[in-house]
């Protein structure tokens, strides 16, 4: 064998070796993909989803967010409704430490007697051994007060409502970091979409757009949308992207007030066309009556809630979430001591436990954001960098007459939680 043919022989051998290696890697990838059950979680935290800012774990953009070694972060969820929690479940799985997030455990607290909801909870608990049910019995009379005494000392807890339907990748790391770095804040809340206090701020900061409910019962464009919708459990899925829906059409003088009733079940809100006079367009919509008030229209009105959500989904699509945030390095928004809704908050369990019990007749939200911080001289902070969305308050039940839950499900299925 000449030197030349030897080297040719070697090249061929190298090629086959490389080919075999590639084949092994390829079949391994296929195999590991196939053996995954039911859900496959897009993660850890990727920048794949269109207009998202890159996640903190992958890009080095958020290097200031480093989980302190030894710190245990536990999410606590007061569970009641399976149609909403299936969306939260996607975000929680993505935020588990196994997938690049900060959550060591998720504690589900039963807050329903509906058998189908309870069956779904049992099913949820099988997804991860980091999912735990805190206790079996429903916490009846005391509302949630009882649950606070069940916290384990020495951890940071993130209390999340079961109808939190969207959260930014860095939402949990940010409120946890702010809580740890600032012992002067008793609790740190995320910057919630659909919050009575923050909603006013979002409106005044220009984050809310002119949207109105579609009034015509049926039109041709709607039939197209219907064909593209599919049922997921109880929810009719609808595209989360405003660009997949037509603009609002109707008489120029049409106005929709915050206290009006929904036109019909399953309706959607559509964008008013942008014109040089678009602040005039905004004046036709419910949000203009929101106030900086815990008990005001921002809490009472399903229509204001809806407008916040549709506007948020547009901002999300456009990669414009900075409209909700103060500049990097700015201080948080301090709410001392107006009652703040506690849909998504970080607390230090040792601190809370040392001040229990909650006085009789005081609900936990009042105690955590007004009574206790006032009596011990601490502040309550909203980290505006940490954005999340809360579907609806008790008073806003008519939000379920919109297609919003279907849109958030669509977002979660597309970007967070993928069925394989
Ligand atoms: C929680 O609070 C306790 C008591 O104030 C304190 O010693 C501890 O360092 C705090 N933990 C964290 C993670 O901030
Ligand atoms: C509906 O699906 C059709 C065909 O798949 C597609 O061309 C159309 O853009 C979709 N429409 C919407 C609103 O998603």
């Amino acid at each position: 064998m000449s030197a030349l043919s030897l080297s040719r022989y070697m090249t061929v051998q190298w090629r086959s070796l490389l080919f075999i290696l590639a084949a092994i890697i390829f079949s391994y990838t296929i195999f590991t993909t196939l053996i995954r059950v039911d859900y496959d979680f897009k993660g850890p935290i990727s920048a794949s989803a269109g207009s998202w800012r890159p996640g903190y774990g992958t890009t080095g953009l958020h290097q200031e967010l480093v989980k302190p070694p030894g710190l245990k972060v536990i999410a606590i969820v007061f569970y009641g409704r399976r149609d909403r929690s299936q969306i939260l479940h996607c975000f929680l799985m993505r935020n588990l430490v196994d997938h690049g997030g900060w959550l060591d455990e998720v504690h589900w607290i039963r807050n329903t007697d509906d058998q189908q909801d309870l069956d779904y909870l049992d099913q949820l608990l099988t997804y991860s051994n980091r999912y735990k049910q805190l206790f079996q019995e429903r916490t009846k009379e005391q509302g949630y007060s009882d649950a606070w005494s069940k916290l384990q000392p020495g951890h940071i807890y993130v209390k999340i409502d079961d109808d939190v339907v969207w959260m930014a990748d860095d939402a949990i790391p940010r409120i946890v970091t702010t809580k740890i770095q600032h012992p002067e804040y008793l609790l740190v809340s995320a910057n919630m979409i659909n919050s009575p206090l923050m909603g006013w701020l979002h409106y005044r900061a220009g984050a809310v757009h002119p949207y109105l409910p579609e009034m015509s019962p049926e039109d041709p464009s709607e039939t197209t949308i219907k064909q593209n919708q599919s049922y997921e459990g109880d929810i009719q899925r609808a595209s989360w992207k405003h660009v997949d829906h037509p603009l609002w059409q109707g008489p120029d003088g049409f106005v929709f007030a915050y206290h009006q009733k929904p036109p019909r079940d399953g309706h959607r809100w559509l964008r008013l066309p942008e014109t040089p006079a678009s602040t005039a367009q905004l004046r036709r919509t419910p949000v203009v009556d929101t106030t900086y008030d815990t008990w005001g229209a921002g809490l009472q009105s399903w229509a204001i809630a809806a407008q916040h959500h549709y506007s948020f989904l547009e901002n999300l699509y456009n990669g414009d979430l900075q409209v909700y945030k103060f500049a990097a390095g700015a201080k948080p928004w301090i709410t001392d001591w107006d009652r703040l809704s506690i849909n998504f908050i970080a607390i230090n369990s040792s601190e809370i436990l040392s001040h229990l019990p909650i006085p009789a007749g005081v609900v936990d939200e009042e105690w955590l954001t007004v009574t206790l911080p006032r009596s011990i001289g601490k502040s309550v902070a909203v980290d505006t960098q940490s954005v999340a969305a809360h579907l609806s308050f008790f008073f806003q039940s008519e939000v379920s007459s919109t297609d919003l839950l279907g849109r958030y499900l669509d977002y979660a299925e597309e970007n967070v939680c993928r069925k394989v």
Side-chain angles (χ1 to χ4, degrees):
M1 204 183 276
S2 74
L4 187 65
S5 58
L6 178 66
S7 82
R8 192 173 295 149
Y9 173 77
M10 288 297 290
T11 314
V12 171
Q13 290 297 83
W14 268 114
R15 280 204 194 124
S16 344
L17 194 64
L18 276 178
F19 179 78
I20 290 167
L21 258 177
I24 289 172
I25 292 171
F26 179 72
S27 22
Y28 177 76
T29 313
I30 295 288
F31 176 70
T32 52
T33 309
L34 285 180
I35 58 169
R36 277 185 206 154
V37 285
D38 255 348
Y39 274 104
D40 180 24
F41 291 90
K42 285 186 180 171
I45 318 299
S46 75
S48 62
S51 57
W52 282 44
R53 292 173 314 128
Y56 66 91
T58 46
T59 61
L61 275 185
H62 302 295
Q63 275 163 342
E64 76 277 19
L65 295 173
V66 176
K67 189 180 177 191
L71 176 74
K72 194 161 164 184
V73 179
I74 303 173
I76 184 166
V77 181
F78 297 94
Y79 167 82
R81 296 159 289 189
R82 64 188 181 284
D83 56 351
R84 284 124 215 250
S85 296
Q86 67 176 337
I87 300 174
L88 177 62
H89 160 60
C90 291
F91 285 95
L92 291 175
M93 287 296 284
R94 182 178 171 100
N95 274 279
L96 290 181
V97 287
D98 318 79
H99 303 135
W102 279 31
L103 293 179
D104 295 282
E105 287 176 20
V106 177
H107 293 180
W108 298 85
I109 296 184
R110 172 182 161 171
N111 185 38
T112 177
D113 289 322
D114 179 286
Q115 193 53 47
Q116 275 182 297
D117 285 326
L118 291 174
D119 292 346
Y120 185 72
L121 179 57
D122 286 341
Q123 211 179 311
L124 277 184
L125 293 167
T126 66
Y127 276 99
S128 168
N129 54 16
R130 298 182 184 277
Y131 274 14
K132 299 178 198 303
Q133 188 169 359
L134 199 50
F135 43 80
Q136 294 288 327
E137 300 76 36
R138 186 177 175 187
T139 49
K140 282 223 168 75
E141 301 297 309
Q142 303 104 312
Y144 304 137
S145 304
D146 206 29
W148 298 104
S149 63
K150 302 286 199 286
L151 303 181
Q152 301 158 6
H155 311 308
I156 296 292
Y157 278 75
V158 183
K159 184 260 189 192
I160 306 177
D161 280 359
D162 72 342
D163 63 343
V164 165
V165 284
W166 188 89
M167 68 179 79
D169 286 339
D170 59 351
I172 291 173
R174 285 201 184 275
I175 54 171
V176 170
T177 301
T178 305
K179 174 63 192 124
I180 294 168
Q181 290 176 350
H182 294 274
E184 72 275 25
Y185 306 146
L186 176 68
L187 66 84
V188 177
S189 168
N191 182 5
M192 299 309 288
I193 307 303
N194 186 25
S195 147
L197 296 186
M198 300 314 287
W200 175 85
L201 208 66
H202 298 162
Y203 161 51
R204 295 287 172 175
V208 180
H209 307 301
Y211 273 86
L212 286 174
E214 185 177 36
M215 302 305 288
S216 57
E218 286 290 343
D219 68 28
S221 57
E222 198 181 15
T223 320
T224 338
I225 301 280
K226 280 225 170 83
Q227 283 165 356
N228 287 17
Q229 287 174 334
S230 61
Y231 281 92
E232 298 286 333
D234 302 330
I235 313 176
Q236 196 171 20
R237 192 166 161 179
S239 173
W240 68 276
K241 299 169 180 153
H242 68 293
V243 291
D244 286 343
H245 301 271
L247 290 171
W248 189 85
Q249 285 183 329
D252 286 344
F254 183 87
V255 169
F256 197 81
Y258 73 93
H259 48 75
Q260 281 181 248
K261 293 283 162 210
R264 71 204 140 81
D265 258 358
H267 78 284
R268 59 184 174 176
W269 286 48
L270 298 174
R271 183 69 146 88
L272 284 163
E274 204 80 72
T275 66
S278 54
T279 52
Q281 300 284 49
L282 209 52
R283 305 239 46 102
R284 303 165 63 183
T285 65
V287 79
V288 293
D289 283 314
T290 203
T291 51
Y292 191 75
D293 177 4
T294 305
W295 308 105
L299 176 75
Q300 307 285 341
S301 167
W302 74 275
I304 290 175
Q307 193 176 354
H308 278 300
H309 283 297
Y310 286 101
S311 300
F312 165 71
L313 289 171
E314 178 179 329
N315 294 331
L316 179 63
Y317 178 81
N318 290 332
D320 265 349
L321 295 192
Q322 75 280 359
V323 290
Y324 296 104
K325 304 173 185 179
F326 294 166
K331 291 186 173 179
W333 182 261
I334 301 296
T335 61
D336 303 352
W337 283 292
D338 294 314
R339 182 156 155 186
L340 177 70
S341 49
I342 52 168
N343 313 108
F344 197 127
I345 55 167
I347 52 152
N348 173 333
S349 56
S350 303
E351 218 170 1
I352 298 302
L353 287 166
S354 71
H355 292 103
L356 286 173
I358 301 178
V362 179
V363 297
D364 54 358
E365 186 179 277
E366 176 85 11
W367 187 67
L368 285 166
T369 65
V370 181
T371 326
L372 181 57
R374 182 188 270 147
S375 80
I376 62 176
K378 290 206 175 197
S379 282
V380 172
V382 179
D383 187 336
T384 67
Q385 299 285 323
S386 165
V387 180
H390 164 250
L391 189 70
S392 60
F393 291 98
F394 172 77
F395 304 97
Q396 304 170 335
S397 60
E398 287 138 316
V399 166
S400 59
S401 72
T402 69
D403 68 352
L404 278 167
L405 204 50
R407 293 198 191 201
Y408 280 110
L409 180 72
D410 185 52
Y411 182 90
E413 292 261 322
E414 187 183 304
N415 300 292
V416 190
C417 194
R418 165 168 53 113
K419 273 185 179 146
V420 292

